[in-house]
C-alpha cells in the first residue's frame, strides 16, 4: 500500500516568516494530495489540495507544490500568523477508497 | 464547519462495553470514511462505505463494525472495548469514491475507555 512520510514533525517559526512542510509518497498511482490543518480538539480541516496534473497551486498565503517524478509534495505558508499554529497533515490517495496520511507536523508560530 | 456531524462528542465507558458512534455526512455526499486517531498511531483508516455498501476495509478490528443506512448516515459500532481503544474517531465524507475527490472531516468523537 501507499506510504506517506512527512517532515519535520515539529516546526517553530517567528511570526511573519515562512513555513515549509515536506511529504513523500510511494505509490505512483496516487494522483490527489490534500493537506489538512488540525487545531486542538477539532477535526482535520481541508486547507488546500493538488492533483497530479498540476505542479503548483496557491490560495492566498498557502501554496502546495508537487513533483510527481520524485514523488514528493510540499506545503508552503508565507507571512505566518499565530493562528496558523496547528498540526498539519499531508495525505495521498491512490484509489479513492482511503487516504493515507503522514504523521503530522506541529507548527508553532511565535508572536 | 465542514458539514459533517458526529455524535456524541465525548464518550466515557468501561472495558468490555459496547458503544455506537454516529456520523451524518455532508448533504449530497455518498461516501463515508471512518478513521481512528491515537497519539502513537496517527490517522488510521478503518472502513469506507459508498451509498450503503462497504467499499474498503483498513485496519479495523473484528470487534468493530460499521454500516451506512439508506439516509446515508453511518454508525461505527465498537464492542468488547479495551483500554487501547481510547482514541479520537473521525468520520469523513465525500461526494463519491473517486481517488481525487475532496473529503471533509467531522469534529470527531473522543472515546475514553476506563
Amino acid at each position: 500500500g501507499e506510504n506517506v512520510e512527512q517532515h519535520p514533525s515539529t516546526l517553530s517559526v517567528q511570526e511573519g516568516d515562512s513555513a515549509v512542510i515536506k511529504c513523500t509518497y510511494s505509490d505512483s498511482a496516487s494522483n490527489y494530495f490534500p493537506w489538512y490543518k488540525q487545531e486542538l480538539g477539532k477535526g482535520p480541516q481541508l486547507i488546500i489540495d493538488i492533483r497530479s496534473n498540476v505542479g503548483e497551486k496557491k490560495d492566498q498565503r498557502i501554496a502546495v507544490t508537487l513533483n510527481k517524478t520524485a514523488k514528493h509534495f510540499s506545503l508552503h505558508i508565507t507571512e505566518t500568523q499565530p493562528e496558523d499554529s496547528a498540526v498539519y497533515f499531508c495525505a495521498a490517495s491512490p484509489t479513492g477508497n482511503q487516504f493515507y496520511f503522514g504523521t503530522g507536523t506541529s507548527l508553532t508560530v511565535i508572536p | 464547519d465542514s458539514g459533517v456531524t458526529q455524535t456524541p462528542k465525548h464518550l466515557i465507558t468501561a472495558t468490555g462495553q459496547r458503544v455506537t458512534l454516529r456520523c451524518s455526512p455532508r448533504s449530497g455526499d455518498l461516501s463515508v470514511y471512518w478513521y481512528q486517531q491515537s497519539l502513537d498511531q496517527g490517522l488510521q483508516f478503518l472502513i469506507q462505505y459508498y451509498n450503503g455498501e462497504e467499499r474498503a476495509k483498513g485496519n479495523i478490528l473484528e470487534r468493530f463494525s460499521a454500516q451506512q443506512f439508506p439516509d446515508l448516515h453511518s454508525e461505527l459500532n465498537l464492542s468488547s472495548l479495551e483500554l487501547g481503544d481510547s482514541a479520537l474517531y473521525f468520520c469523513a465524507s465525500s461526494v463519491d469514491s473517486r481517488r481525487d475527490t475532496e473529503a471533509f472531516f467531522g469534529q470527531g468523537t473522543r472515546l475514553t475507555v476506563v
Side-chain angles (χ1 to χ4, degrees):
Chain A
E2 174 64 278
N3 180 43
V4 178
E5 295 190 356
Q6 182 172 348
H7 300 280
S9 57
T10 60
L11 180 59
S12 292
V13 299
Q14 292 288 331
E15 182 177 357
D17 287 350
S18 295
V20 180
I21 303 170
K22 299 182 179 182
C23 289
T24 61
Y25 62 99
S26 61
D27 192 337
S28 57
S30 289
N31 76 338
Y32 176 63
F33 308 91
W35 286 88
Y36 288 86
K37 173 184 181 183
Q38 188 176 20
E39 297 174 320
L40 200 60
K42 297 187 177 182
Q45 175 193 2
L46 180 66
I47 56 172
I48 195 168
D49 56 17
I50 191 166
R51 290 171 174 79
S52 60
N53 58 344
V54 175
E56 183 176 2
K57 183 177 178 180
K58 286 185 180 180
D59 183 3
Q60 300 182 337
R61 297 185 297 107
I62 295 175
V64 58
T65 59
L66 171 65
N67 183 327
K68 281 214 73 179
T69 303
K71 294 196 182 71
H72 67 70
F73 56 113
S74 301
L75 177 71
H76 305 251
I77 306 174
T78 59
E79 300 172 18
T80 53
Q81 301 169 3
E83 51 265 38
D84 294 329
S85 296
V87 179
Y88 291 81
F89 292 95
C90 62
S93 176
T95 65
N97 292 333
Q98 64 172 290
F99 292 89
Y100 293 83
F101 285 87
T103 48
T105 296
S106 179
L107 173 65
T108 301
V109 179
I110 304 165
Chain B
D1 183 2
S2 67
V4 179
T5 303
Q6 289 187 248
T7 57
K9 286 188 171 52
H10 304 277
L11 200 47
I12 301 175
T13 190
T15 54
Q17 294 298 304
R18 172 190 169 94
V19 297
T20 297
L21 312 184
R22 182 188 170 101
C23 169
S24 294
R26 293 188 319 154
S27 177
D29 284 0
L30 299 178
S31 193
V32 170
Y33 311 78
W34 285 97
Y35 283 84
Q36 179 192 57
Q37 186 178 41
S38 55
L39 281 174
D40 58 344
Q41 293 289 327
L43 276 159
Q44 297 289 312
F45 170 70
L46 296 177
I47 198 165
Q48 183 210 13
Y49 278 83
Y50 176 74
N51 204 21
E53 293 188 2
E54 181 185 303
R55 272 294 175 95
K57 260 186 176 179
N59 299 322
I60 187 167
L61 300 172
E62 285 192 10
R63 300 183 285 111
F64 297 0
S65 64
Q67 53 185 325
Q68 185 179 29
F69 294 87
D71 67 353
L72 301 176
H73 91 270
S74 178
E75 293 181 355
L76 179 67
N77 300 296
L78 315 176
S79 61
S80 303
L81 285 167
E82 302 174 359
L83 295 178
D85 298 327
S86 296
L88 274 165
Y89 291 85
F90 288 105
C91 167
S93 74
S94 63
V95 169
D96 54 37
S97 62
R98 295 177 317 176
R99 57 183 173 163
D100 63 346
T101 301
E102 300 95 333
F104 297 88
F105 281 76
Q107 295 293 296
T109 293
R110 181 176 292 280
L111 174 66
T112 303
V113 182
V114 296

